Amino acid sequence: MKIGILALQGGYIEHKNILDNLNVDSFYIRNKYDLNQNIDGLILPGGESTAIGKLLDELELKEPIKKLIDNNLPVYGTCAGMILLSKNIENDNRRHFSKMDIKVKRNAYGRQSGSFITSSKFNGISNDVDMVFIRAPYIVDYSDDVEILSIVNDNIVAAKQKNMLVTSFHPELNNELKVHKYFIDNIVRKNIE
Ligand code: GLN
């Protein structure tokens, strides 16, 4: 099994560390040639969705990745990665991969409480998943196909639709392994079987 990590901007190194800890092979995707190798799953890290979106266009990575997602490649988007996957963004006209039937609000927690750490329930994982929020989005609307996996302070912060998993928060910044393990065991492995 090999997981690709989009490594254009943002916190991709931390995702690699988590996968290393889980003994899962991974590689960075920095240009379209990196997609020529076998890939069983994709991680879209946090960072700035506008910057990552711009680089995806410039490097001609957007269309090939969209095709992989259409072909059922398992994808996990954290924070900006969630924004990249959303079909709708409440407070931004830009659209990126536009694949998941969710509407998100960017920087949804405002400036004052823009960043915080908590431990909360994540359906199918545990009652105490460590969650780091940094100028995070949350989900404000979704279709019937979307399964809600975590709600923190009345806001939806994790969801799944078919091959796509998204979290508003960063498990990788607190060395929280459980969400990546869930992605590998429940989405990536099932897709390979
Ligand atoms: N605020 C960022 C955005 O809108 C997301 C922040 C993050 O990924 N930590 O793209």
Side-chain angles (χ1 to χ4, degrees), residues 46-50 78-80 83 106-107 134-135 170:
E48 270 308 308
S49 54
T50 46
T78 56
C79 205
I83 297 168
R106 290 184 64 198
N107 303 322
I134 302 173
R135 302 186 66 235
H170 301 267

Side-chain angles (χ1 to χ4, degrees), residues 44-57:
L44 305 174
E48 270 308 308
S49 54
T50 46
I52 300 174
K54 204 162 168 259
L55 289 166
L56 284 169
D57 279 330

Side-chain angles (χ1 to χ4, degrees), residues 42-121:
L42 172 66
I43 290 185
L44 305 174
E48 270 308 308
S49 54
T50 46
I52 300 174
K54 204 162 168 259
L55 289 166
L56 284 169
D57 279 330
E58 282 172 18
L59 297 165
E60 295 172 30
L61 269 168
K62 193 179 275 174
E63 293 309 317
I65 291 178
K66 270 187 172 179
K67 265 195 201 130
L68 288 170
I69 300 173
D70 284 340
N71 290 334
N72 222 22
L73 180 74
V75 192
Y76 172 28
T78 56
C79 205
M82 173 195 256
I83 297 168
L84 294 175
L85 283 172
S86 324
K87 281 197 183 160
N88 269 299
I89 307 170
E90 187 178 278
N91 48 350
D92 195 338
N93 292 329
R94 280 164 284 232
R95 297 293 176 269
H96 307 283
F97 296 125
S98 259
K99 289 292 171 201
M100 195 164 170
D101 293 323
I102 52 174
K103 187 201 269 188
V104 298
K105 184 174 178 186
R106 290 184 64 198
N107 303 322
Y109 294 90
R111 282 185 183 205
Q112 290 305 317
S113 58
S115 303
F116 60 98
I117 300 180
T118 188
S119 183
S120 201
K121 182 177 163 152

